Amino acid sequence: MPHIVFLKAFAEYSQGYKVDPKTYLETQFEAESHDVVVVRDIPFESACEHHLARFHGVAHVAYIPNEKITGLSKFPRMINGYARRLQVQERLTAQAADAIYEVLNPEACAVVIEATHSCMTARGAMAHGSSTKTFAVRGEKNLLEYLK
């Protein structure tokens, strides 16, 4: 019986494979301005593809619209779509930035992810309190100043 519970939990943890997270960004509206849009502190949970250990944190997204914007709720959906896969933080950050850049075609975008990894805190190094921060920037303008 415990194996059934584990399988159900694992199916939930990996539900990000069921949909292409980019599709969340396809709901678009005309951009009325070209000012920076920032969505901060998007919570996510994921599983390390190397150890199956959990990691969790927050994502921050910034972009400068070109012609189109999307609903703000689409960013958490997209982040969690990628996070609900076996993952590494570096790839998660790049996938989110690439999706925004490809689908919304902004002037620029940036994604910053801050996370705590169980493979660092609960085993091996036992580095309690450690966190990892990754950055991805696309386009000609560096938007990291908005996300630090």
Side-chain angles (χ1 to χ4, degrees):
M1 181 71 135
H3 63 286
I4 300 290
V5 174
F6 170 80
L7 291 174
K8 285 182 179 181
F10 193 78
E12 184 178 338
Y13 295 154
S14 61
Q15 66 187 357
Y17 292 107
K18 293 181 181 178
V19 65
D20 181 354
K22 288 182 194 177
T23 60
Y24 293 116
L25 303 177
E26 291 175 356
T27 300
Q28 298 178 4
F29 312 96
E30 295 296 320
E32 295 181 17
S33 76
H34 297 277
D35 297 321
V36 177
V37 176
V38 177
V39 181
R40 297 184 53 84
D41 300 320
I42 301 167
F44 72 90
E45 292 272 343
S46 194
C48 169
E49 71 179 27
H50 302 125
H51 308 103
L52 294 181
R54 306 296 294 157
F55 69 96
H56 67 279
V58 293
H60 314 291
V61 172
Y63 76 109
I64 300 174
N66 192 357
E67 295 177 12
K68 301 285 186 180
I69 58 173
T70 191
L72 298 176
S73 70
K74 305 309 180 192
F75 294 109
R77 293 175 194 276
M78 185 253 322
I79 294 289
N80 282 295
Y82 286 120
R84 291 292 185 160
R85 298 173 174 194
L86 294 178
Q87 202 47 283
V88 295
Q89 183 174 332
E90 298 88 340
R91 183 183 321 115
L92 175 59
T93 308
Q95 287 174 325
D98 289 342
I100 294 165
Y101 200 66
E102 292 170 20
V103 178
L104 293 178
N105 192 33
E107 292 180 29
C109 70
V111 175
V112 175
I113 294 183
E114 302 173 74
T116 301
H117 294 253
S118 296
C119 60
M120 292 254 314
T121 62
R123 61 168 299 281
M126 301 295 281
H128 300 285
S130 68
S131 65
T132 302
K133 190 182 272 192
T134 50
F135 305 81
V137 178
R138 306 291 183 267
E140 296 191 25
K141 295 181 181 171
N142 187 337
L143 298 177
L144 290 179
E145 65 187 78
Y146 295 95
L147 297 177
K148 290 185 178 177

